[in-house]
Amino acid sequence: MPAEPASAARPVAVARRLRLRADRARQLADLLRHQILAGGFPGGVLPLEDALAADYRASRNTVRQALDLLRGEQIVERQPGVGTVVVCEKYPHGLDRLQGLAETLREHGRVTNEVRTVGPVGAPGPVAHRLGLPEHSDVLCIERLRRLNGLPLSLDLSYLPMDVGGELLGCDLENTDVFRLLEQLTGGPLGHAEITLEAVNADAHSATVLEAPRGAAVLMLERLTRLPDGRPVDLEFIRFRGDRITMGGVLRRSL
């Protein structure tokens, strides 16, 4: 087979080097992101590029590209006379316990709720099905903007059967988790929940309410919560600002 002409091979080799450098930058950005979110840089200031290159066994070009990626995510920024500093704090949200947002983030500040919608509505077919209700049943619909320390964090849309949810109409929805209110009303703890987590682009409404750029990635958590007897009692669609929350948990392998 004839050898590939040098003039043709050169662009291919250059493209491979660029791709390899981009891969290494992305991998380094992942490591730095973890360190940042874990509080691994005292004072929120990253080491100098030379130090990062030595610590992570990377070239300075790779370090610069990785920092550019993190700046694009608005996690760090360059400050003259200071260096690269952390500008975005993300809050940990556990996925291994069934808790309301105020319970989950109680160590990080105060959660408040702006109730945007509350009242009975005719249940859409899929909602009635998920809640185990007859078609055309009424459900209580609640939409809340949830803030942590005054900053928009999530937009929550909840559907509840009227025989349970109707009791929430006279409750303090602005300062209390729905989970806590449900347990007070039912006289016992909730049972378990089924969750789905995915990334979606913020629509115009969500972006405006969350004060996020339109089209920005948000974390969508769909959660169906049940009472101990298995009855579904709360179907939620929660949009979290992806730049302010991280999801984590402990997974155990069973053989």
Side-chain angles (χ1 to χ4, degrees):
M1 182 176 180
E4 186 177 9
S7 59
R10 191 174 299 115
V12 174
V14 171
R16 286 174 178 168
R17 285 198 299 272
L18 292 175
R19 185 179 64 196
L20 181 59
R21 184 185 300 171
D23 287 343
R24 288 174 175 169
R26 171 176 46 80
Q27 293 160 7
L28 176 56
D30 289 342
L31 295 175
L32 291 173
R33 188 186 302 103
H34 173 79
Q35 287 292 97
I36 290 168
L37 298 180
F41 297 112
V45 180
L46 275 64
L48 298 176
E49 290 178 0
D50 285 342
L52 289 173
D55 289 345
Y56 290 91
R57 299 183 179 182
S59 70
R60 284 194 66 179
N61 282 338
T62 298
V63 170
R64 288 170 182 162
Q65 282 188 268
L67 294 177
D68 283 343
L69 291 174
L70 296 177
R71 279 193 286 270
E73 297 175 25
Q74 299 182 338
I75 293 177
V76 301
E77 69 178 22
R78 186 82 176 171
Q79 291 187 356
V82 179
T84 301
V85 299
V86 178
V87 294
C88 175
E89 183 176 7
K90 292 195 176 188
Y91 301 99
H93 187 296
L95 292 176
D96 45 10
R97 296 186 64 187
L98 183 56
Q99 292 184 314
L101 192 65
E103 295 173 308
T104 301
L105 300 178
R106 62 183 178 275
E107 297 178 0
H108 301 281
R110 181 168 179 258
V111 172
T112 56
N113 310 309
E114 176 188 328
V115 180
R116 298 176 56 82
T117 301
V118 58
V121 298
V127 170
H129 175 73
R130 297 288 301 282
L131 290 174
L133 300 173
E135 289 189 23
H136 312 300
S137 297
D138 282 347
V139 293
L140 182 70
C141 176
I142 307 172
E143 183 181 76
R144 295 167 296 160
L145 170 62
R146 315 200 69 185
R147 300 176 184 269
L148 178 62
N149 299 325
L151 295 176
L153 183 62
S154 71
L155 181 61
D156 299 13
L157 181 64
S158 305
Y159 297 100
L160 303 98
M162 282 304 298
D163 64 326
V164 175
E167 299 294 326
L168 296 177
L169 290 172
C171 295
D172 183 8
L173 293 169
E174 292 186 352
N175 298 292
T176 314
D177 281 338
V178 168
F179 280 180
R180 184 175 295 277
L181 294 173
L182 286 175
E183 289 180 334
Q184 293 173 358
L185 293 173
T186 60
L190 297 170
H192 68 277
E194 300 140 24
I195 64 171
T196 301
L197 183 65
E198 61 180 319
V200 300
N201 292 330
D203 59 276
H205 168 70
S206 300
T208 299
V209 174
L210 290 171
E211 300 177 17
R214 183 173 180 177
V218 296
L219 288 175
M220 163 70 88
L221 178 68
E222 179 182 327
R223 181 168 60 194
L224 179 64
T225 302
R226 300 176 182 270
L227 296 175
D229 62 4
R231 180 192 173 191
V233 72
D234 186 9
L235 176 62
E236 300 170 277
F237 299 90
I238 306 172
R239 286 173 167 82
F240 288 100
R241 279 191 54 151
D243 59 345
R244 292 181 179 162
I245 202 82
T246 61
M247 299 288 179
V250 177
L251 303 179
R252 293 180 173 83
R253 181 176 173 84
S254 58
L255 301 177

